[in-house]
Amino acid sequence: MKYLFTVLFLLIFSVGFSQDDQSDAAKNIPKKQPKAAFDQYRIISLQKDTTYVDTSLTIKKEYEYNYLRKDIFGLLPFANEGQTYTVLDFGLKNFTSFPEIGFSGKQFNYLGVNDINYYSVATPVTELYFKTVMEQGQSVDAFITVNTSERFNMSIAFKGLRSLGKYINQLSSTGNFRFTSSYNTLNKRYYLNFHFTGQDFLNGENGGISSIEDFESGDGAFANRARLDVYLKDAKSFMKGKRYFFDHNFRINSKNGGNNLFLTHQFNYETKFFEYYQKTVPSTVNNAIIYRFGDSYVTSGINDHTRYNRMYNKVGAIYENSLLGKFQFFVEDFRYNYYYDKILILDSGTIPSSLNDKINTIGGQYDYRKNKWNGTFTYSNSISNQPMSNFDAKLNYKLNDKNEFVFQYQMLNKIPDHIYNLYQSSFVNYNWYNDFKNEKINNIEATAKTQWLNASLQLSSIKDHLYFSNDATDSQQQIISPKQYYKAINYLSVKVSREFKWWKLALDNTVLYQKVDQENDVLNVPQIVTRNSLYFTNYFFKKAMYLQTGFIFNYFTKFYINDYNPVTTEAFVQNQRKVGDFPMLDFFINARIRQTRIFLKAEHFNSKMTGNNFYTAPNYPYRDFMIRFGLVWNFFQ
């Protein structure tokens, strides 16, 4: 809440200035200020890619108007806003050679280093996002950025969500605070980007509905979803994290010329904390007592804590030549502590209290940008005890403004995420200590963005793949544990997008085809995922309002969808029940008035017509029909 108060104060402060300007105008005080061009409102990524503040209303804006603030094609959200997602498109997974904490169900809305943008704006810019939720709450995202001079920018933002949900024990309460600043010296020899994030995610974990027969029956008594019984009525999971990050570089030569030499340094210190709490251990299903996660060491009040911190430093030198490109040499130092408060001595063996290590790598990077070609080639390799390597090559060819081709190859030797190697819990079967091999991943991608269509091809080969599966023999129990699949997994995907326009109508289509070659069903994906949007656009009221309205159709074929485990917030493999083959139809009406975009949507309006067979996991129903609305409002002061 302290972050929210800070943001609200700054927004009121900025609006106050705007009101002062209006009062000055009312007093006929002349102001001759040139209007800033759109390219003076820049959004800059960590990789120095630049886009601009965009207040247009397109079908892409409709796709991005959601909790994650991005296009979620290939992700299937759970019933309540702010919960986890089921991954339909395996190609969305990003691989990094360094180990992460795990608890992947909490990572979808966790803003990483590469998710933070930096800004340079001619005048202060404010953006307000608002959207209604399922029950008792709202979703908001407030942002303001200002340049105190051409050389110094700062931004502050807070995204908050509270939604009770339609089912028992499904509350979501989350917050993402971020602060950024950018600075460069007058002679442009020194550049600095800094950000701080404070993020927290609280979710009620009901374990899914305990009787799918009641849900699928169509009985009007269960139209109120709170009447459906669930496995867990007082369990919750909570994660919070803080990060301090800065990236800076200094040009050694005093004047920018054809040959330049830079010193670079990147620093990242991050802490994370995960808690699983379950007050009542036994569950009642059809008047029978079950223990959903098996035996426990305590009879009530389970409270499992996992703590994690890491510090990362990257020091490098860059030689830049106007003809040859950029040559970079760097050294990385990565240190982590993943820990619990005790050592467990069990019949199965000793479970240590922590994992910690120091990983050092050396590497190089070559950047080439000339005419229509743009390429980046990176290689790093561990020089410490932990074997680890990463080779990443990306080549971009831009034929013209309408046609672009991208080729990428990545070869990774990835250290396992920590949750696979160590976990402690009050549940007897949720204690493990492993020494898994590194995952080996080879990935090839080719993308074509043309005036006729967009298409991408991905080929992946994975060995020593890590995953979770259920060891329980009772269908009412979840006793998951990590496994390593030592055989090869080959993955193929083809994605094609094309928009057809006629008069004021448009049909936007995206189709994904996936195929997995594996000896056992370990990596499961739907063969077909599709999204098709038919919509109408036009200006009204002497072009004061731009209207966009239409239908969106989402669909995926049946497959053995991954299940979800609340204790670890991890997805796990199951092969008992296939999910899919149900249409999801939305109707939307969007409008833009000046810099304000208004959104109204009837989500999954066909749910009552097609039957209650829609799920995001075997015991977790997808969202029912509901009407939601909101807006995105930009202020340029």
Side-chain angles (χ1 to χ4, degrees), residues 21-47:
D21 291 343
Q22 292 172 1
S23 63
D24 288 345
K27 296 175 184 177
N28 295 321
I29 297 176
K31 287 190 175 183
K32 295 182 179 180
Q33 295 181 350
K35 188 176 181 180
F38 79 95
D39 59 358
Q40 291 181 282
Y41 297 91
R42 296 188 292 274
I43 304 171
I44 306 163
S45 72
L46 181 62
Q47 290 74 31

Side-chain angles (χ1 to χ4, degrees), residues 50-311:
T50 301
T51 55
Y52 305 100
V53 176
D54 182 9
T55 61
S56 64
L57 179 61
T58 63
I59 192 64
K60 182 180 178 182
K61 297 294 184 182
E62 162 61 32
Y63 298 152
E64 294 175 347
Y65 185 68
N66 56 62
Y67 173 59
L68 297 185
R69 305 296 307 275
K70 65 181 182 181
D71 189 345
I72 59 170
F73 178 79
L75 294 178
L76 185 66
F78 272 47
N80 194 20
E81 195 88 313
Q83 288 185 288
T84 188
Y85 293 76
T86 292
V87 178
L88 304 177
D89 179 3
F90 178 74
L92 295 176
K93 186 173 179 62
N94 292 319
F95 297 102
T96 175
S97 52
F98 287 110
E100 300 288 342
I101 183 177
F103 304 97
S104 60
K106 293 291 186 183
Q107 306 301 329
F108 289 98
N109 188 45
Y110 192 90
L111 300 176
V113 168
N114 292 315
D115 298 317
I116 303 298
N117 290 318
Y118 306 89
Y119 303 88
S120 177
V121 293
T123 61
V125 176
T126 303
E127 182 176 278
L128 299 177
Y129 165 98
F130 169 80
K131 191 174 186 179
T132 57
V133 293
M134 288 65 193
E135 194 87 18
Q136 296 185 27
Q138 59 281 317
S139 176
V140 297
D141 193 355
F143 162 83
I144 182 171
T145 180
V146 59
N147 270 64
T148 60
S149 69
E150 283 189 41
R151 298 184 290 112
F152 181 76
N153 172 276
M154 64 179 181
S155 74
I156 190 168
F158 179 82
K159 178 166 73 170
L161 166 77
R162 187 188 188 279
S163 178
L164 186 63
K166 298 289 186 180
Y167 295 79
I168 296 172
N169 189 31
Q170 206 182 52
L171 171 70
S172 293
S173 179
T174 71
N176 302 76
F177 173 82
R178 59 256 191 216
F179 171 82
T180 75
S181 64
S182 302
Y183 170 77
N184 65 268
T185 56
L186 185 61
N187 57 8
K188 297 185 178 180
R189 293 180 66 184
Y190 178 76
Y191 283 84
L192 167 70
N193 285 328
F194 166 82
H195 79 246
F196 167 80
T197 60
Q199 306 178 70
D200 59 85
F201 312 96
L202 172 68
N203 294 101
E205 302 285 1
N206 62 25
I209 57 176
S210 57
S211 174
I212 62 173
E213 291 79 11
D214 290 340
F215 174 73
E216 295 180 356
S217 67
D219 188 340
F222 298 109
N224 180 356
R225 299 309 192 193
R227 293 181 178 176
L228 287 165
D229 205 5
V230 297
Y231 283 104
L232 310 170
K233 296 181 180 178
D234 54 15
K236 63 182 180 181
S237 64
F238 176 69
M239 175 173 276
K240 66 177 179 180
K242 293 181 180 180
R243 181 173 63 247
Y244 302 86
F245 175 88
F246 63 80
D247 177 78
H248 56 154
N249 63 79
F250 176 73
R251 190 180 71 241
I252 294 178
N253 45 301
S254 59
K255 292 185 179 181
N256 190 18
N259 295 280
N260 299 302
L261 186 62
F262 299 87
L263 296 178
T264 66
H265 176 221
Q266 193 175 102
F267 171 82
N268 178 5
Y269 179 75
E270 189 166 19
T271 64
K272 288 184 179 180
F273 168 81
F274 176 80
E275 175 188 33
Y276 177 77
Y277 176 78
Q278 184 179 328
K279 182 179 180 181
T280 306
V281 175
S283 300
T284 303
V285 178
N286 296 326
N287 298 318
I289 299 298
I290 69 162
Y291 291 85
R292 181 66 167 162
F293 308 115
D295 296 334
S296 62
Y297 293 112
V298 296
T299 56
S300 64
I302 286 176
N303 195 1
D304 299 335
H305 293 168
T306 304
R307 293 173 172 84
Y308 172 71
N309 61 64
R310 67 177 183 180
M311 184 171 68

